[in-house]
Amino acid sequence: AYSINGATGLLHEQADTAITYNTDDTEDTTLSLATADTRYVLRSLWLKFADPGANTITVRLKLLINDVSTTVASHTVTTNNFTTHFSLFDMFGQSEVAGDSIIVTTQNSAVAVVAVTGQYSYAKTNV
């Protein structure tokens, strides 16, 4: 018989978390849900960026693939679309994301600093 080993327990909804930071040419962590022995469901994510000008901001979704944190989807923000509030679905085509490690990062294509604001909500196991 096939069995799954890993996190167990009921999912408990967590309070919304505000996002406010500046992103630049280094990969900055927007959110990291990656505590050992915990299962997460990212319920919602909204991000808004200041105008990156001639630069491009890349937003990355990282999940575990073969137990290695791997970029599975990305989204670009430019001067042509920065006025939008981007949802989890807009950026990655997913209404929710589940896993033992969910990480979202941003990175500007140049040294210039760009403001990022937003909000996310999630549930987690309590084991």
Side-chain angles (χ1 to χ4, degrees):
Y2 180 76
S3 65
I4 298 175
N5 294 324
T8 60
L10 299 174
L11 286 170
H12 298 272
E13 299 296 327
Q14 305 299 301
D16 279 6
T17 303
I19 298 169
T20 303
Y21 70 99
N22 293 320
T23 192
D24 56 21
D25 64 328
T26 59
E27 191 170 16
D28 299 302
T29 301
T30 304
L31 67 89
S32 178
L33 304 175
T35 302
D37 298 322
T38 304
R39 171 65 47 96
Y40 297 95
V41 176
L42 181 59
R43 300 283 192 204
S44 70
L45 171 63
W46 289 91
L47 294 178
K48 173 72 175 82
F49 298 86
D51 188 353
N55 305 318
T56 299
I57 298 169
T58 303
V59 185
R60 294 179 184 94
L61 172 63
K62 299 180 179 194
L63 301 173
L64 293 178
I65 304 294
N66 200 29
D67 284 341
V68 175
S69 184
T70 305
T71 299
V72 296
S74 64
H75 176 76
T76 57
V77 179
T78 67
T79 194
N80 296 325
N81 67 359
F82 80 95
T83 58
T84 301
H85 286 80
F86 295 103
S87 71
L88 188 61
F89 191 83
D90 296 332
M91 293 183 287
F92 309 123
Q94 303 292 316
S95 57
E96 291 185 338
V97 177
D100 293 349
S101 175
I102 303 169
I103 299 170
V104 176
T105 65
T106 58
Q107 186 171 8
N108 196 354
S109 62
V111 176
V113 172
V114 175
V116 181
T117 58
Q119 195 88 9
Y120 69 95
S121 65
Y122 68 101
K124 68 177 186 172
T125 58
N126 189 15
V127 294

